[in-house]
Amino acid sequence: NALNGSDLMINITNDNDIDTEAPILTSFQIDDNTLSSGEHASITFNAVDDNDIGGLSATFKSVDDTGNMFFIEFSETPTLNSDGSYTLLSSPISDNAYAGDYTFYYSLSNLGIRIWDEYDNDTYYNRSSNTDALESAINNSEMTINVTNVNEIDTTAPVLTSFQIDN
């Protein structure tokens, strides 16, 4: 007994309005621009959407004198504060973190600040797209995080000393 094409169709009806709009970022700030290893970077932002904010991601990058790149990344579901703003923490600053300035980072593979709602409607803010909206949201806020680290950092890549494939 083979199935024909009409047996494989499912008809879904939904009388609700479907949200297809991404949240609008209205403010964005780094809460403390000077951090040490072991601490969390924190950002606070405001956004407007018909539904709950699902998350926000942003990356800050630093490059040492030899070209090694170091990142502070935010990418989680934020905490809703009592005043309607949101707060998001980074992972702890590594004991091996480069000491220096980490600046807002975007590239072809990292498109800047991404914000999305609970239905994954998203948009990006960077200095190439949504430029006016980004400038309005950051409102001349400092977009640099300075990391101090008294630890000596390891920037030497591991060396492969042997490799074997067994039958």
Side-chain angles (χ1 to χ4, degrees), residues 25 28-30 33 43 56-63 70-74 100-107 110-115 123-131 133-135 137-138 141-146:
L25 187 66
F28 181 96
Q29 72 178 30
I30 302 166
N33 291 64
I43 56 176
L56 182 135
S57 63
T59 301
F60 293 79
K61 177 178 108 173
S62 190
V63 180
F70 301 86
F71 300 94
I72 298 173
E73 297 178 307
F74 299 86
D101 289 336
Y102 289 68
T103 57
F104 176 57
Y105 174 64
Y106 67 95
S107 67
N110 182 342
L111 300 176
I113 298 171
R114 177 181 175 240
I115 187 169
T123 194
Y124 291 86
Y125 294 86
N126 60 52
R127 303 219 190 271
S128 297
S129 68
N130 282 332
T131 305
L134 174 65
E135 293 304 323
I138 64 174
S141 293
E142 180 68 39
M143 292 295 282
T144 301
I145 299 170
N146 180 271

Side-chain angles (χ1 to χ4, degrees), residues 39-59:
E39 296 181 319
H40 294 268
S42 172
I43 56 176
T44 298
F45 67 94
N46 286 288
V48 176
D49 195 68
D50 290 338
N51 296 291
D52 291 336
I53 300 300
L56 182 135
S57 63
T59 301

Side-chain angles (χ1 to χ4, degrees), residues 12-22 49-51 117 119 121:
I12 298 174
T13 59
N14 185 351
D15 295 332
N16 298 318
D17 290 333
I18 304 300
D19 177 16
T20 59
E21 298 293 319
D49 195 68
D50 290 338
N51 296 291
D117 66 17
Y119 298 113
N121 298 308

